[in-house]
């Protein structure tokens, strides 16, 4: 029965979006399925409204930020959230959950695409916000600890395999050099590229860009998030908690495609996202779900040159 229904939903997706790539229509179909599946919870969510909902997720960090966290927050505000279950070092993300379990020590990206219990569960051209509420991470974690004489500019980078290929969406050392040379006098630049030991991996192998020693030698004025963690290890719960505290005090971000960009989009202000390739392009997600995360102004740069163009205009 589900197979027939999924074929019908694919037909609907094809009729609604005839110009979208055929393989992308499967993602739109799956989101249709997720939305209609929520009908079974109508009485519990809108009439009974008791604390019944347990939300568990073990997929990619990007999906968790875009879809799962706002869904859990909706249930919290609705009075129906019972428990949340996620990966290690996520308790602070789910600050609103009275019962949060850090059960998983590894993320499995395939599990995110097999989970139809979240209204939005994957890429889409038209998201549902019926059970999706912006999570106020900036308000929750803004603090007087990580403040500096100059406004903060966070460069949130990554360097890992993508789609089983070598890294594509990342800020190269030459791009970092040009940004730092031009903007270090105006901003307190904080560079963040988490090490494998600091985050829960999701099957994408993290490689070494070899930029840390280069930064230390050539740009000692740039603060490294890794060093901030070591300096504040007694006052933060974990690396994710540190990121929340530092990001909450920032209004200017440059980030790389993926979960790195989604996280930086949670804190208002401006976020220049370097994304050279990805499904987000054709599905227009940098103009839909990303700015919805906090009201941040999202500037999608497809090239290194475009990053500098946005910096000139907005920073």
């Amino acid at each position: 029965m589900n197979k027939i229904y999924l074929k019908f939903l694919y037909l609907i997706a094809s009729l609604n979006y005839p110009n979208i790539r055929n393989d992308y229509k499967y993602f739109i179909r799956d989101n249709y399925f997720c939305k209609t599946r929520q009908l079974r919870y109508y009485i519990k969510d809108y009439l009974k409204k008791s604390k019944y909902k347990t939300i568990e997720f073990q997929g990619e960090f990007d999906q968790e930020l875009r879809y799962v966290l706002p869904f859990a927050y909706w249930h919290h505000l609705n009075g129906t959230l019972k428990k949340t279950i996620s990966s290690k070092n996520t308790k602070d993300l789910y600050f609103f959950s009275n019962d949060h379990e850090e059960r998983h020590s590894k993320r499995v990206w395939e599990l995110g695409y097999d989970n139809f219990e979240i209204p939005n569960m994957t890429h889409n051209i038209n998201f549902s916000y019926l059970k999706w509420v912006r999570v106020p991470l900036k308000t929750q974690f803004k603090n007087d600890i990580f403040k500096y004489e100059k406004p903060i500019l966070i460069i949130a980078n990554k360097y890992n395999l993508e789609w089983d290929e070598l890294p594509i969406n990342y800020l190269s050392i030459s791009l970092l050099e040009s940004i730092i040379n031009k903007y270090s006098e105006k901003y307190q630049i904080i560079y963040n590229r988490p090490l494998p030991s600091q985050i829960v991996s999701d099957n994408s192998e993290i490689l070494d860009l070899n930029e840390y020693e280069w930064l230390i030698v050539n740009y000692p004025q740039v603060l490294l998030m890794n060093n901030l963690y070591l300096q504040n290890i007694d006052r933060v719960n974990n690396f994710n908690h540190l990121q929340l505290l530092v990001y909450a005090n920032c209004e200017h971000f440059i980030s790389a495609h993926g979960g790195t960009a989604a996280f930086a989009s949670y804190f208002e202000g401006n976020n220049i996202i370097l994304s050279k390739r990805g499904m987000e392009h054709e599905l227009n997600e940098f103009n839909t779900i990303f700015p919805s995360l906090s009201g941040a102004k999202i500037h999608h740069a497809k090239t290194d040159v475009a990053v500098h163009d946005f910096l000139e205009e907005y920073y």
Side-chain angles (χ1 to χ4, degrees):
M1 189 66 183
N2 271 350
K3 288 184 178 180
I4 296 174
Y5 185 48
L6 287 171
K7 287 183 179 180
F8 170 72
L9 292 178
Y10 183 84
L11 175 62
I12 297 299
S14 298
L15 292 174
N16 286 339
Y17 305 103
N19 298 322
I20 295 293
R21 278 175 45 174
N22 288 336
D23 53 338
Y24 288 1
K25 292 172 186 174
Y26 286 103
F27 292 92
I28 299 172
R29 175 206 69 180
D30 287 351
N31 271 317
Y32 284 159
F33 184 68
C34 290
K35 293 174 189 176
T36 57
R37 192 178 179 88
Q38 287 298 307
L39 292 173
R40 66 178 62 189
Y41 301 112
Y42 184 87
I43 292 176
K44 288 184 176 181
D45 285 343
Y46 296 105
L47 299 179
K48 291 184 176 180
K49 298 187 75 170
S50 61
K51 293 185 184 297
Y52 82 95
K53 194 69 172 182
T54 295
I55 299 173
E56 180 176 3
F57 187 73
Q58 195 184 352
E60 290 180 324
F61 188 51
D62 181 39
Q63 284 181 292
E64 184 163 24
L65 292 172
R66 291 209 233 173
Y67 317 127
V68 183
L69 195 61
F71 178 59
Y73 192 59
W74 181 89
H75 272 285
H76 162 68
L77 295 179
N78 194 50
T80 45
L81 183 64
K82 181 181 180 182
K83 182 175 182 176
T84 49
I85 304 169
S86 184
S87 302
K88 290 169 56 180
N89 300 332
T90 55
K91 183 175 178 60
D92 294 296
L93 280 174
Y94 291 87
F95 66 90
F96 52 85
S97 176
N98 292 328
D99 185 2
H100 181 71
E101 180 184 347
E102 297 180 342
R103 179 179 297 177
H104 307 297
S105 59
K106 187 174 184 180
R107 295 181 180 273
V108 182
W109 71 266
E110 296 94 338
L111 293 179
Y113 295 97
D114 290 333
N115 187 336
F116 298 105
E117 288 297 312
I118 313 295
N120 304 298
M121 201 54 255
T122 184
H123 294 283
N124 203 359
I125 197 169
N126 185 20
F127 293 98
S128 170
Y129 299 98
L130 289 177
K131 295 182 180 179
W132 190 103
V133 176
R134 183 179 294 173
V135 185
L137 294 183
K138 190 178 187 73
T139 301
Q140 178 68 21
F141 292 99
K142 200 164 186 177
N143 60 88
D144 294 324
I145 301 172
F146 299 101
K147 286 189 173 181
Y148 304 92
E149 293 181 0
K150 295 182 286 187
I152 299 171
L153 168 59
I154 289 177
I155 301 177
N157 204 5
K158 68 171 189 176
Y159 193 66
N160 57 266
L161 297 182
E162 298 179 85
W163 306 289
D164 295 322
E165 299 178 19
L166 292 175
I168 299 168
N169 298 302
Y170 68 96
L171 285 82
S172 66
I173 288 180
S174 60
L175 179 56
L176 293 174
E177 182 177 31
S178 60
I179 293 171
I180 296 169
N181 283 339
K182 190 165 186 178
Y183 292 95
S184 61
E185 288 189 11
K186 183 177 181 180
Y187 294 99
Q188 175 55 68
I189 296 177
I190 300 178
Y191 181 76
N192 185 27
R193 184 176 68 82
L195 301 174
S197 60
Q198 295 166 336
I199 59 174
V200 178
S201 65
D202 61 2
N203 305 99
S204 296
E205 183 182 352
I206 297 176
L207 306 178
D208 195 348
L209 185 57
N210 296 311
E211 81 280 32
Y212 283 115
E213 185 176 348
W214 171 79
L215 283 167
I216 291 169
V217 171
N218 295 284
Y219 298 102
Q221 73 273 31
V222 173
L223 298 179
L224 304 180
M225 192 73 77
N226 297 329
N227 289 346
L228 287 178
Y229 179 58
L230 295 175
Q231 294 162 7
N232 295 277
I233 199 165
D234 293 331
R235 66 198 329 184
V236 298
N237 299 329
N238 49 60
F239 191 77
N240 276 347
H241 184 213
L242 172 71
Q243 290 185 113
L244 287 164
L245 293 170
V246 177
Y247 280 48
N249 286 354
C250 182
E251 297 283 335
H252 303 85
F253 299 86
I254 307 170
S255 60
H257 172 106
T260 304
F263 188 60
S265 300
Y266 256 92
F267 299 91
E268 304 175 14
N270 285 274
N271 183 18
I272 298 172
I273 299 176
L274 178 59
S275 176
K276 299 180 178 180
R277 171 180 159 190
M279 202 178 302
E280 291 85 350
H281 296 205
E282 185 168 347
L283 297 180
N284 198 36
E285 292 176 2
F286 293 122
N287 290 315
T288 56
I289 191 75
F290 276 83
S292 297
L293 292 171
S294 72
K297 296 178 179 65
I298 304 299
H299 313 288
H300 174 203
K302 296 182 179 179
T303 65
D304 292 2
V305 172
V307 170
H308 277 292
D309 290 341
F310 284 128
L311 283 168
E312 285 280 350
E313 185 173 357
Y314 297 105
Y315 289 42

